Amino acid sequence: MFQIQNTYIFIYFSLYLGGGMKHETIRLAHGAGGLLTSRLIKDVILKYFNNKIIKRLEDSAEVNIKSRNIAFTTDSYVINPIFFPGGDIGKLAICGTVNDLAMKGAIPEFISFSLIIEEGFPFRDLEKILKSASRAARKAKIQVVCGDTKVVEKGKADKIFITTSGIGIIKIDLTKEKIKVGDVVLVSGTIGDHGITIVNERLDLGLKSSIKSDVAPLNLITNKLFNFKSSIHFMRDPTRGGIVSVLNEMIDKTPYGIMIQENDLPIKREVIGATEILGIDPLYVANEGKFVAVVDRKAARRILKRIKSHILGRDAAIIGEIVKKPKGVWLKTKIGGTHPLLQLEAEGLPRIC
Amino acid sequence: MFQIQNTYIFIYFSLYLGGGMKHETIRLAHGAGGLLTSRLIKDVILKYFNNKIIKRLEDSAEVNIKSRNIAFTTDSYVINPIFFPGGDIGKLAICGTVNDLAMKGAIPEFISFSLIIEEGFPFRDLEKILKSASRAARKAKIQVVCGDTKVVEKGKADKIFITTSGIGIIKIDLTKEKIKVGDVVLVSGTIGDHGITIVNERLDLGLKSSIKSDVAPLNLITNKLFNFKSSIHFMRDPTRGGIVSVLNEMIDKTPYGIMIQENDLPIKREVIGATEILGIDPLYVANEGKFVAVVDRKAARRILKRIKSHILGRDAAIIGEIVKKPKGVWLKTKIGGTHPLLQLEAEGLPRIC
């Protein structure tokens, strides 16, 4: 149904789907993490659910329970295929939600696990998914405390969808307002691994490849960063829409820009190879085990070292900085050019998570 | 796909689907709230997610956050049709989760709202659903603080599925352990309204009917019961599987039985009429705005009066009591017989919520 044929995919989508809310029906791109998704949320959903907390549109909501700052988040997982190199929908549903809590500077504590299953789904696959979710939860030290199971008729869902919600205790106060000129932007590891793995699987291109999804619980790293409290200003995990979407969201409504150095971007050789064949820009591709952090320049090296000391962060790198001008997100290319990294109408792939 | 043809539906299901986990694939009945659902949860899901909290299998998990007792719950809503007399999937997704918190004796505080939408779904319908969800949230005084939006290809989901998770602050400590012989069982209003409305709509029987779903936020009543703290022993809302499932779950693993008086069951005349035509037992039919409570006999009249003072509880009634013998759930019929009310293999209807 959804095919990637050439490098023009983004342009094609932009033209075909441009205009956002004027469409009368929901399109795939409304769920792909690009501008259309963000317009759907801002123009439609926030019209009805409007309060100070949800309006911040952060990875987790910050709620106050009896004067405790609690992070609360939810995500539905509809990834296709449900099993892929490096993980499956169960592991993803745990890690994705754990990561949203971690990005809020929280220690993930409790998670819910709700299943929508298509009639005829094999028990064997269900058990594989539950087993891998359970292993991920153990690794992330989060307890699955509640759940739900719904079944719909054959043909009324695609195999299995999982929705998880997480609760965590906030340890670092991270807000955009802390971002300032001179801050350093770092990424916790190589980018593009998850998205390229899924595309490779889905299109069955037979790319002989050692690429696998990076899906992992990021709190294993972020829990170690709490003593850099005041030096860490903001964190996001670049899932749907990739690193470009996250950088644009970070800088949105701030008076600053971000300058990224192409030379410093950690990208696996196999991922670059695959993106060239597939005609996809890895900067727009989803990750499920990486985060981008904006940190104080003075502490940047020490924070980087701490991240690299964990196996999940071994490829971490400083990739750019917050600048006064130009506004927006920019890439300084290897040959010395400077190009804007724009959030496109529908840069993401559907059902990547 | 799913048809109700005659009074033998339950027997048919029992024979056809009996045996539980020996099936190799998931069947509709695994999500219908009967014994098969409960076996799926106990035999498969709890094998992987096993901790003291989830094992209680209550409507909400009780979690401890910095020594505060917090209720945490989740449900996915896959109801068909998505619009029905008395409500829609949006209102249901808010009320259902609010009610799970209310049944745990909690004040609902925060809710998440996660959408899985089928490509091609009309924006107009999405807005109707969001509007009604937002109105329900306002009524229940709960804040929608986070959400997610996923879109899947046409034919890969049935219009729209919603998953909500809720957080509440526990005010009354309700546990099965408090149930004792002589306790009174009461229901907060007429039963069967929601399920019969959905079946009537789905089968398009053209039953001229004033029946509508009872979907409503029960915390509007339960918030008023906090000063009966020690007299309220246990509460459950009889959704999937109806009042019989809930009564059986209440008494499960206790040494007692429940005797229900058929004469005292509040059921609307139109619902009885419809159930006779449809061949369905209203005691097995889902409700979405009612609760069953086990309360101390001494306070029962006063609690009943308080419930009846709210418009949502005006038809509340005492329907039975906790007995030492016989064990299990029993119905004393109008003509004086005593019949067991058994939880059947698959007594519920699929996609009723």
Side-chain angles (χ1 to χ4, degrees), chain A residues 145-147, chain B residues 37-38 41-42 45-46 49 51-61 176 234 236 249 252-253:
Chain A
V145 292
C146 54
Chain B
T37 305
S38 100
I41 294 169
K42 287 178 191 163
I45 297 181
L46 289 193
F49 300 142
N51 56 59
K52 272 187 212 152
I53 303 170
I54 200 170
K55 257 166 76 179
R56 298 181 66 91
L57 290 178
E58 294 189 351
D59 281 347
S60 293
K176 266 189 202 182
F234 201 65
R236 281 305 272 268
E249 284 163 17
D252 182 42
K253 287 181 192 151

Side-chain angles (χ1 to χ4, degrees), chain B residues 23 46 49 56 60 76 95 107-108 111-112 126 185 187 203 220 227 232 240 245 259 294 297 308 311 313 318:
Chain B
H23 304 297
L46 289 193
F49 300 142
R56 298 181 66 91
S60 293
S76 288
C95 295
I107 299 183
I111 194 164
S112 67
L126 178 62
V185 179
V187 65
L203 300 185
L220 300 183
N227 50 347
I232 301 177
R240 282 188 291 183
S245 280
M259 183 65 69
V294 179
R297 177 169 296 269
K308 286 172 87 77
I311 189 163
I318 289 172

Side-chain angles (χ1 to χ4, degrees), chain B residues 248-267:
Chain B
N248 273 284
E249 284 163 17
M250 277 181 162
I251 215 71
D252 182 42
K253 287 181 192 151
T254 75
Y256 312 124
I258 299 181
M259 183 65 69
I260 298 296
Q261 303 293 331
E262 188 180 19
N263 257 330
D264 298 335
L265 285 170
I267 310 181

Side-chain angles (χ1 to χ4, degrees), chain A residues 181-309:
Chain A
V181 172
D183 277 357
V184 163
V185 179
L186 52 81
V187 66
S188 68
T190 56
I191 59 173
D193 305 42
H194 176 75
I196 293 300
T197 304
I198 301 306
V199 174
N200 191 20
E201 285 293 298
R202 207 185 293 170
L203 301 184
D204 200 15
L205 291 178
L207 285 182
K208 191 175 57 178
S209 167
S210 54
I211 309 168
K212 56 178 191 161
S213 168
D214 59 348
V215 56
L218 288 172
N219 64 329
L220 300 184
I221 305 180
T222 55
N223 282 356
K224 290 169 176 284
L225 300 178
F226 294 149
N227 51 348
F228 291 104
K229 242 177 171 139
S230 57
S231 303
I232 300 176
H233 297 161
F234 201 65
M235 294 195 289
R236 281 306 270 269
D237 59 334
T239 56
R240 280 189 292 183
I243 205 165
V244 172
S245 280
V246 152
L247 293 171
N248 273 283
E249 284 164 17
M250 277 181 162
I251 215 71
D252 182 43
K253 286 181 191 152
T254 75
Y256 312 125
I258 298 181
M259 184 64 69
I260 297 296
Q261 303 294 329
E262 189 181 17
N263 256 330
D264 298 335
L265 285 169
I267 310 181
K268 287 201 179 96
R269 194 181 305 230
E270 310 91 284
V271 169
I272 293 180
T275 55
E276 280 169 358
I277 294 164
L278 294 165
I280 298 176
D281 185 338
L283 302 184
Y284 289 91
V285 163
N287 308 273
E288 290 293 345
K290 300 294 154 51
F291 66 93
V292 175
V294 178
V295 306
D296 196 282
R297 179 169 295 270
K298 286 194 223 89
R301 289 276 147 207
R302 278 176 295 137
I303 292 170
L304 182 68
K305 199 177 157 194
R306 178 68 57 88
I307 295 172
K308 286 171 88 78
S309 74

